[in-house]
Amino acid sequence: MEDTSSQKSGQSKEVLSSQTPEESPADFVHVKLEEYEPADFSTKDLILKKAREVCTCNHQTIITFFCQLFPVLDWLPRYDIKTQLLGDVVSGLLVGIVAIPQSISYSLLASQDPIYGIYTNFFCNIVYVAMATSRHNFVGSFGILCLMVGQSVNRHLQLAGYSGDSSGSSLVGNSTSFSNGTGACDRSCYAITVALSLSFLVGLYQILLGVLQLGFVAVYLSEPLLSGFVTGSSLTIITSQMKYLLGLKIPRHEGVGSFLLTWVDLFRYIQNTNICDLVTSLVALAIIVPVKEINDRYKEKMKAPFPIELLVVIVATVISYYFNFEERYKSSVCGDIPTGFRKPTLPDINLFSSLAVDALPIAVIGFAMTVSLAEIFGKKHGYAVRANQEMIAIGMCNLIPSFFYCFASSAALTKTLLKESTGTQTQVSGLVTSLVLLLVLLWIAPLFYSLQTSILGVVTIVNLRGGLRKFHDTPRMWQLSKLDTVVWWTTMLSSTLITTEIGLLVGVCFALLCIIFRTQRPRATLLGKVSNTEIYEDQSTYKQLSSIANIKIFRFESSLYYANKDYFKTVLYQKTGVNPILLAAKHQRVEAQANADTGNSKSFFGTRLDCLKPAKQRTEKPPADACPPSIDMHTLILECGAMQFIDTVGLSVLKEIHHDYKEIGVQVLLANCNPSIRHRLREGGWAGETDSGGQLAFHSVHDAVRFAERRYHVQRESLEKKDAVLDPEDLIFQGSL
């Protein structure tokens, strides 16, 4: 097929396969394609164009800007009260009911007073409603982020001289004035100061990532990596909550090995277990876990899951209050939870330098979870989600609430799933949830004074069942991909046994190394032809494939670059059975020996052609070792369909291979090259051009095979004619002897 219909002037032509002068068009089709003229690229013009688009200010651009920044301005005027309001109200109420106990329990995980967890869920929901493109995400306290916040807060508490876990502990070392000027900052005050400063930095990072369109960073957090990180963090959270279930007062370990050290302390002080807390925890587990399992199993038949957590919290609070567990059994309780709101405050700038590193992994995990959940439910329900806007939204959910005593947040998996399953339609359900939490903040919060912390630990642990279920998926994952399973186990173990931040870093680095390993030592095969077709496939995988006589077709299933160049040559020589360097050296030794024996200087190809002559056409038969070893191929075809790119080192390797094989009389052809690789070959002068003006790069393997067979046939006919002319001279020479 020949395409000569291009209308553009000045278009450059690229010849993808050649036709020798002797070949008839019926035998081999000469394929030509014309490339479009590359557009002139000017960095200056591009910058000026973008600047004009940004700086253009009129009524329409202002409306468009605010509608993109605040998507609520776009969808709220089109809100259908009749069809959407009921689902949003029901979903918002149910999520709000579940969020009450989780807000309090996750506050302990973040080393904060219970009221700050309610603040976080209240303010974050309001901000997210205005800026989100997702209709189903619930943004608030998330267990893994709370754990990471708590680790950073405890580290700074120790550096500041605070000790113990009780909120009423006094300052041992330095004295810090509270930001609102009410006096010295106690442990609780300093803890929330660190947390809100950390949240400010997290939000700033996420907004910068969104503004700079750097959402692609999330792609490096693969599903096995995130799953392993969630499971490892879940084990760490469960370990941190065990002291509440047992009523033990043990130090909270931070840093490398905190998981093991915590379990050592749990067994060391096991004799000090508070029996009241232990019994309460076991009873709560025995009630909550079965009901949660029933909710999960029959969630499609149930209009809404039974709010067992809230019911247990209410009943446990009432029982603890009337039986006075705090005084009679020394059971730990939430204590006084104030109502109302506190005056806004500013983050502590002095803490930014020490929190800058801690904020980075929290920001990455936060936006990765938010964007992932948004895209999952957006695809499921058929609406578009803008990832960069989601990053800006979650960044604002951390930045703005940090002035109102909130810690870092993200999309919460459990509550997002509950929100979606209960029929939410828009983010109006988030406003309903915030109203429920507002009731708690204004009136209901003091009623939780007698709530045991062991119940909060149970609520936290039960909600981590999803992360622990991933252990059951590992056998199936091992069958699908062993490398992904290794990534999962590496991330999980490092997140558990080292720290969550280092575990995340180890997981990312290991996943990247796995990618490098896959491309550095990819699969390489020889291809065979499917009978009576133009299809070529892997000979080691499929049966009944026929080899092409004297032609080897080699496929390298990766891009060719500096890291795998040596492996490429090694596996190429191994699969084809021909090492051109060693063979050329052997030819040179044979030629030197022949010259020494006969005293007649011949070229390398002359020696080879003489060895191919019949014995009756030679004056005398040379020794057996005088002829170079025969090669069972005349053409090597490199199938480049899996190569996305080649760098300069890869191009040099192709040139080297082409030269080395040419020295032993084997031509090298390329097939299935994409346009970028063909452009790189053309610009780099890989193989020059053939006699007919075409480069040795073909659209398909079959095209390359037909070209190779035709060319070999023509060369053989030419050689036979040349031998027919030379033979009479040899006979005359023999007669003179």
Side-chain angles (χ1 to χ4, degrees):
M1 180 182 64
E2 181 175 356
D3 182 7
T4 58
S5 61
S6 177
Q7 303 293 327
K8 281 185 170 285
S9 60
Q11 292 170 328
S12 60
K13 293 185 178 181
E14 180 186 3
V15 182
L16 300 174
S17 59
S18 297
Q19 176 185 3
T20 57
E22 296 82 1
E23 180 184 356
S24 65
D27 294 332
F28 186 77
V29 179
H30 191 116
V31 179
K32 291 183 180 179
L33 290 180
E34 295 186 33
E35 295 181 350
Y36 286 107
E37 188 72 21
D40 294 333
F41 177 79
S42 173
T43 305
K44 179 180 178 181
D45 294 340
L46 180 62
I47 294 176
L48 291 176
K49 180 181 177 182
K50 293 293 183 182
R52 282 193 295 268
E53 292 177 356
V54 172
C55 296
T56 301
C57 184
N58 53 47
H59 179 72
Q60 185 61 38
T61 56
I62 293 175
I63 293 177
T64 302
F65 171 76
F66 279 101
C67 287
Q68 289 182 346
L69 185 61
F70 300 100
V72 66
L73 298 176
D74 182 40
W75 60 262
L76 189 59
R78 297 181 284 105
Y79 188 80
D80 191 344
I81 296 178
K82 293 182 179 180
T83 60
Q84 295 178 323
L85 184 61
L86 180 61
D88 285 338
V89 171
V90 173
S91 177
L93 287 173
L94 293 172
V95 174
I97 291 172
V98 173
I100 294 172
Q102 290 189 10
S103 300
I104 300 174
S105 62
Y106 285 160
S107 297
L108 298 181
L109 191 59
S111 297
Q112 304 298 324
D113 290 343
I115 189 65
Y116 299 125
I118 304 176
Y119 283 163
T120 299
N121 286 277
F122 173 76
F123 284 107
C124 290
N125 260 293
I126 295 176
V127 176
Y128 192 71
V129 167
M131 305 191 69
T133 59
S134 172
R135 303 174 190 171
H136 295 84
N137 271 2
F138 175 90
V139 170
S141 54
F142 181 47
I144 295 172
L145 292 193
C146 291
L147 172 67
M148 301 171 75
V149 170
Q151 290 174 342
S152 180
V153 168
N154 282 314
R155 184 164 58 253
H156 283 78
L157 287 174
Q158 293 177 2
L159 292 175
Y162 295 95
S163 60
D165 286 339
S166 116
S167 60
S169 52
S170 59
L171 180 64
V172 178
N174 302 327
S175 178
T176 306
S177 295
F178 190 53
S179 56
N180 61 8
T182 59
C185 187
D186 61 6
R187 184 185 187 279
S188 173
C189 161
Y190 190 74
I192 190 58
T193 301
V194 174
L196 65 89
S197 300
L198 182 63
S199 178
F200 180 87
L201 288 177
V202 169
L204 189 62
Y205 286 160
Q206 291 170 335
I207 292 172
L208 288 175
L209 289 172
V211 171
L212 298 176
Q213 308 288 300
L214 297 179
F216 67 88
V217 176
V219 304
Y220 293 102
L221 302 177
S222 63
E223 183 178 349
L225 188 148
L226 277 177
S227 176
F229 177 75
V230 169
T231 303
S233 300
S234 299
L235 291 174
T236 304
I237 293 172
I238 291 173
T239 300
S240 68
Q241 298 300 296
M242 287 301 297
K243 63 181 180 181
Y244 298 115
L245 270 66
L246 300 175
L248 295 176
K249 297 186 181 298
I250 60 174
R252 182 168 179 172
H253 297 281
E254 303 295 335
V256 179
S258 59
F259 177 83
L260 297 177
L261 292 175
T262 302
W263 279 105
V264 169
D265 281 349
L266 287 173
F267 285 106
R268 180 184 299 173
Y269 299 104
I270 194 71
Q271 69 274 8
N272 298 331
T273 298
N274 188 303
I275 302 300
C276 178
D277 286 338
L278 177 60
V279 172
T280 303
S281 302
L282 293 177
V283 172
L285 282 171
I287 295 173
I288 296 177
V289 172
V291 177
K292 295 279 283 186
E293 291 293 334
I294 293 174
N295 285 340
D296 291 342
R297 180 170 296 183
Y298 299 102
K299 60 183 178 181
E300 296 180 356
K301 298 181 180 180
M302 300 172 64
K303 293 183 178 180
F306 186 76
I308 185 61
E309 294 164 301
L310 182 63
L311 180 62
V312 169
V313 166
I314 294 173
V315 173
T317 303
V318 172
I319 293 175
S320 175
Y321 174 77
Y322 281 104
F323 288 92
N324 197 11
F325 285 171
E326 182 183 13
E327 297 294 335
R328 295 177 61 182
Y329 302 108
K330 305 300 179 183
S331 180
S332 298
V333 296
C334 289
D336 184 39
I337 303 178
T339 57
F341 296 94
R342 304 181 67 171
K343 293 181 180 180
T345 186
L346 293 174
D348 190 347
I349 301 177
N350 297 323
L351 293 172
F352 283 179
S353 58
S354 59
L355 291 173
V357 177
D358 293 346
L360 186 58
I362 297 177
V364 173
I365 290 297
F367 84 72
M369 294 299 299
T370 303
V371 173
S372 299
L373 288 175
E375 290 180 344
I376 288 173
F377 291 110
K379 184 181 296 184
K380 180 178 180 180
H381 293 275
Y383 62 88
V385 171
R386 289 185 281 128
N388 289 310
Q389 175 61 26
E390 284 295 316
M391 281 201 297
I392 295 175
I394 193 62
M396 296 300 289
C397 287
N398 286 312
L399 186 70
I400 295 176
S402 68
F403 298 101
F404 299 93
Y405 301 94
C406 300
F407 47 83
S409 62
S410 72
L413 177 61
T414 304
K415 292 185 279 291
T416 299
L417 292 172
L418 174 61
K419 189 176 180 180
E420 189 266 344
S421 64
T422 51
T424 186
Q425 299 293 319
T426 65
Q427 283 295 341
V428 169
S429 61
L431 293 178
V432 177
T433 301
S434 294
L435 289 177
V436 175
L437 295 174
L438 181 62
L439 295 176
V440 177
L441 287 170
L442 296 181
W443 296 290
I444 303 176
L447 300 179
F448 292 105
Y449 177 93
S450 299
L451 177 61
Q452 294 171 270
T453 55
S454 59
I455 297 295
L456 298 178
V458 170
V459 171
T460 301
I461 290 175
V462 169
N463 283 282
L464 297 173
R465 294 173 303 125
L468 300 182
R469 285 197 182 105
K470 298 296 182 181
F471 283 105
H472 297 289
D473 299 335
T474 52
R476 176 61 177 167
M477 190 190 305
W478 179 262
Q479 294 177 353
L480 296 176
S481 174
K482 293 179 174 58
L483 208 54
D484 285 346
T485 310
V486 174
V487 170
W488 188 91
W489 278 101
T490 301
T491 308
M492 188 274 295
L493 291 175
S494 58
S495 299
T496 304
L497 300 178
I498 308 177
T499 63
T500 51
E501 296 88 349
I502 297 178
L504 177 63
L505 180 62
V506 169
V508 171
C509 294
F510 185 77
L512 292 176
L513 287 176
C514 289
I515 295 174
I516 295 174
F517 176 78
R518 285 177 174 178
T519 59
Q520 192 172 1
R521 299 184 67 85
R523 193 165 180 268
T525 60
L526 289 180
L527 304 185
K529 183 180 180 181
V530 180
S531 301
N532 301 321
T533 67
E534 298 180 3
I535 300 174
Y536 296 81
E537 274 297 346
D538 180 13
Q539 290 182 335
S540 61
T541 302
Y542 299 100
K543 300 178 180 179
Q544 299 176 347
L545 298 180
S546 58
S547 300
I548 311 299
N550 299 320
I551 298 177
K552 301 287 186 181
I553 308 171
F554 177 77
R555 174 189 287 167
F556 192 68
E557 298 182 355
S558 173
S559 298
L560 181 59
Y561 65 113
Y562 67 93
N564 59 19
K565 61 180 181 65
D566 293 330
Y567 178 76
F568 175 79
K569 292 193 293 185
T570 300
V571 73
L572 173 64
Y573 299 158
Q574 177 184 352
K575 293 291 183 180
T576 60
V578 177
N579 188 328
I581 299 176
L582 298 179
L583 204 57
K586 194 168 185 179
H587 284 157
Q588 290 178 359
R589 290 196 301 269
V590 171
E591 182 181 357
Q593 181 65 32
N595 290 338
D597 293 341
T598 62
N600 187 16
S601 177
K602 293 184 179 180
S603 66
F604 164 72
F605 288 108
T607 304
R608 187 176 181 191
L609 292 174
D610 185 60
C611 292
L612 294 175
K613 291 181 180 180
K616 64 180 181 179
Q617 295 181 0
R618 297 196 296 268
T619 56
E620 58 178 316
K621 186 176 181 179
D625 58 352
C627 287
S630 60
I631 304 174
D632 61 347
M633 70 173 180
H634 56 72
T635 302
L636 171 64
I637 300 175
L638 302 180
E639 204 274 341
C640 305
M643 292 187 184
Q644 297 179 355
F645 68 91
I646 56 173
D647 62 0
T648 54
V649 178
L651 180 60
S652 299
V653 170
L654 289 180
K655 288 182 178 180
E656 179 183 345
I657 288 174
H658 177 268
H659 175 269
D660 292 342
Y661 276 102
K662 185 177 180 180
E663 288 295 315
I664 61 172
V666 177
Q667 66 172 347
V668 178
L669 308 178
L670 303 184
N672 284 343
C673 298
N674 63 48
S676 63
I677 291 182
R678 287 197 296 269
H679 177 75
R680 177 62 63 87
L681 294 172
R682 184 171 61 248
E683 294 297 324
W686 166 67
E689 294 185 347
T690 61
D691 296 337
S692 58
Q695 280 198 334
L696 303 179
F698 297 82
H699 272 309
S700 67
V701 175
H702 187 68
D703 196 23
V705 169
R706 293 182 60 196
F707 171 80
E709 291 176 337
R710 178 63 181 171
R711 180 164 181 162
Y712 177 71
H713 178 70
V714 170
Q715 288 179 344
R716 193 171 179 183
E717 289 181 349
S718 176
L719 183 62
E720 290 177 354
K721 292 179 181 179
K722 185 177 179 181
D723 289 343
V725 174
L726 292 177
D727 281 348
E729 297 179 358
D730 293 340
L731 294 175
I732 295 173
F733 179 72
Q734 291 180 19
S736 64
L737 290 176

